[in-house]
């Protein structure tokens, strides 16, 4: 086997996160208070988020933000993560392309989400917060926050989208094992949940709905704050440890990526792998392409519109400048639960508007086909979310073969799929299908 894992010594865990906003010519627009129509300030978020996180959210000036020693110390549990050359996949595709992946599935919770959960809990602890709420779709953010809560000694309550609560009972068990309380959403424990259940008793929930419930509980409980695992600028900031490590590891491999790919839910892992490489494009040194791979059934970047929209279904959040399918968009029950979100973070949305990044929408069957090929050639069972990045990498590797060019492709393996085997069962049994969403459906949600 030619396969070699490229590891960095412990001291190579980045000391700073990279704040791409400081380097952007066109800054992302600020979130707006829906009541006053005024742009938000950090203080406006203090009731909801730890103060340092609120400041990071609006930081447009500091290119590098120091990672607290306590957080770096916990990163050492699983970082630096390996960068792997996918020789097996290359061979199966008979492509001249070199394919690398950054393996974030090695974190104890099985995904990149812990990179932001650890600092978020840490900054809350500094503020004297004792309880945190959040929502989780596929369960990955909830598991990451549950473990991070245990690491720093905070109580965690997780609203889990009901369809995932039922489809993924083991993610619930993981969260409970790490000591968190898990509530299926919509629930009767909040006003927004009760309203949704009265209107649609069989509603299977959505990430937007669960966000509404988690915010409501945090606002009503003293010393209780809220956390978000994607979409917001401070989350993308924390995830840049992925790309910063990858940059050094690619150097050790004596290669530089022509194409960088991440799957896309709200944008955090895509941002994490991309932004450190993007800075060399923005300053004119490199011509790397960046591809966000989203599900065809939830195509906010490829078919949504850019506007100010709510981040949740009930409309509790500020208005966010984003590519969106409308905050009431109800995506099909695809297995990539972490990608079933109606909007894209404001940094990534601005970058897309400025043509600094590209997006592709991939049908469910193609993603599982890619996931199985990856599993059979590289040995790792990828998360259904991550299979979108793999499918996009495979498309590019095939293109390189047709064109006869040696492209260097780097994608982020955002997580493993060991807790998603029921999805693989259904795929292998031929029971999965593609979901197309029509223009008129998208139009309907954008207007409601
Ligand atoms: C949450 C999640 C995603 C999608 O979220 P982003 O913020 O877009 O990264 C993708 N992959 C995995 C494994 C996840 O847990």
């Amino acid at each position: 086997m030619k396969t070699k894992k490229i590891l960095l010594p412990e001291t190579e865990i980045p000391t700073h996160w990279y704040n791409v906003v400081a380097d952007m010519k066109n800054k992302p627009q600020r979130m707006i208070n829906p009541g006053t129509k005024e742009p938000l300030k950090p203080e406006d978020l203090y009731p909801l988020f730890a103060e340092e996180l609120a400041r990071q959210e609006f930081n447009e000036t500091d290119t590098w933000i120091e990672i607290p020693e306590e957080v770096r110390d916990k990163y050492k549990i699983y970082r630096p993560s390996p960068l792997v050359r996918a020789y097996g996949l290359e061979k199966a595709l008979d492509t001249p392309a070199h394919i690398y992946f950054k393996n974030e599935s090695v974190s104890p919770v099985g995904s990149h989400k812990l990179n932001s959960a650890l600092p978020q809990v840490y900054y809350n602890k500094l503020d004297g917060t004792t309880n945190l709420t959040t929502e989780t779709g596929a369960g990955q953010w909830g598991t990451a926050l549950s473990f991070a809560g245990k690491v720093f000694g905070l109580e965690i309550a997780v609203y889990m989208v009901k369809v995932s609560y039922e489809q993924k009972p083991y993610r619930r068990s993981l969260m409970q094992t790490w000591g968190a309380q898990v509530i299926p959403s919509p629930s009767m424990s909040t006003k927004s949940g009760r309203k949704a259940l009265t209107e649609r008793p069989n509603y299977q929930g959505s990430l937007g709905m669960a966000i509404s419930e988690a915010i409501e509980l945090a606002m009503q409980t003293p010393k209780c704050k809220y956390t978000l695992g994607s979409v917001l600028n401070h989350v993308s900031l924390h995830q840049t440890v992925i790309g910063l490590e990858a940059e050094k590891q690619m150097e050790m491999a004596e290669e530089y990526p022509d194409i960088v790919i991440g799957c896309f839910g709200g944008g955090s892992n895509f941002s994490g792998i991309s932004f450190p490489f993007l800075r060399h494009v923005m300053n004119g040194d490199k011509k790397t392409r960046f591809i966000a791979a989203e599900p065809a059934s939830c195509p906010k970047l490829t078919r949504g519109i850019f506007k100010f929209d709510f981040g949740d279904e009930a409309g509790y959040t500020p208005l966010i400048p984003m590519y969106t399918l409308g905050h009431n968009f109800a995506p099909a029950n695809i297995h990539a639960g972490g990608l079933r979100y109606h909007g894209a973070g404001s940094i990534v949305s601005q970058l897309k508007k400025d043509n600094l990044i590209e997006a592709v929408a991939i049908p469910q069957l193609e993603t599982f086909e890619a996931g199985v090929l990856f599993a059979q050639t590289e040995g790792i069972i990828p998360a259904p979310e991550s299979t979108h990045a793999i499918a996009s990498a495979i498309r590019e590797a095939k293109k390189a073969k047709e064109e006869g060019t040696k492209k260097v492709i780097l994608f982020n393996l955002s997580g493993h799929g060991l807790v998603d085997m029921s999805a693989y069962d259904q795929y292998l049994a031929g029971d999965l299908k593609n979901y197309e969403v029509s223009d008129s459906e998208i139009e309907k949600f954008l207007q409601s």
Side-chain angles (χ1 to χ4, degrees), residues 175-197:
M175 290 185 264
Q176 290 167 336
T177 302
W178 283 314
Q181 189 190 349
V182 188
I183 309 125
S185 166
S187 77
M188 298 300 277
S189 70
T190 63
K191 214 167 82 194
S192 45
R194 284 193 294 275
K195 180 163 178 286
L197 282 174

Side-chain angles (χ1 to χ4, degrees), residues 215-216 223 297 331 348 397 433:
I215 292 181
E216 201 182 312
K223 290 195 178 183
S297 55
V348 171
K433 59 173 186 170

Side-chain angles (χ1 to χ4, degrees), residues 111-113 140 230 263-269 338-339 383 385-386 414-415:
S111 80
H112 69 288
K113 295 263 179 13
Q140 275 126 333
S230 183
C263 66
F264 200 94
S268 77
N269 91 89
L339 307 187
E385 290 83 3
S386 315
S414 53

